[in-house]
Amino acid sequence: MSEPLPDPFEFMKTLWNPMGLPMPGMVAPTLDIDAVEKKIADLKSVENWLNLNLNMLRLSIQGLEMQRNTLTAMKAMQSAPADAAAQAGKNPFPDPAAWWSMMQAAAGAAAAKPADVKPVEAAPAKTKPK
């Protein structure tokens, strides 16, 4: 006659579990407390392992970011001497005579200043009221 109808549970099992491994929740939950505690301990150890790997990944990222920042700073420092060498070719004081006269004027003003200042007169001493 005709083929028997496929079992819907078998269809769902093959749909959800193509590798044929037992799937949790598809079977009745266990009533054994020791088995549940063992599963909790296993899952906590997996959680700790994943946290350890996550922390190591974060440290690796931070180390690479520090390395990138260091390399960027070193490249900036390497270009700074080239810029300084280019600036050294330019004289900041194009006319040395103008600089010398400015320094002489400043020295003359500093020497003339004490003669112009009047000495401060001593303030009268305060007397105590009787």
Side-chain angles (χ1 to χ4, degrees):
M1 248 182 61
S2 68
E3 287 185 31
L5 292 173
D7 185 16
F9 184 71
E10 285 296 321
F11 173 73
M12 287 298 289
K13 199 160 122 181
T14 57
L15 180 69
W16 284 100
N17 193 6
M19 294 173 50
L21 300 173
M23 296 206 34
M26 292 297 283
V27 245
T30 182
L31 299 176
D32 186 18
I33 293 177
D34 292 334
V36 172
E37 287 178 359
K38 182 184 181 308
K39 185 166 270 216
I40 289 172
D42 291 344
L43 291 175
K44 283 189 178 186
S45 65
V46 169
E47 179 188 18
N48 290 335
W49 180 77
L50 289 172
N51 283 332
L52 175 71
N53 284 335
L54 180 63
N55 290 337
M56 289 174 58
L57 178 66
R58 285 180 181 155
L59 285 173
S60 297
I61 291 171
Q62 288 175 352
L64 288 172
E65 287 174 344
M66 288 176 60
Q67 183 178 0
R68 179 193 59 198
N69 293 340
T70 302
L71 290 173
T72 304
M74 288 176 65
K75 284 183 182 179
M77 289 172 58
Q78 286 176 351
S79 66
D83 294 341
Q87 291 292 334
K90 298 178 185 175
N91 188 356
F93 301 108
D95 185 14
W99 176 79
W100 184 253
S101 62
M102 179 183 71
M103 294 303 287
Q104 291 296 326
K113 200 76 160 167
D116 296 340
V117 176
K118 294 180 183 176
V120 178
E121 293 179 13
K126 293 184 180 178
T127 58
K128 286 186 174 181
K130 292 185 180 181

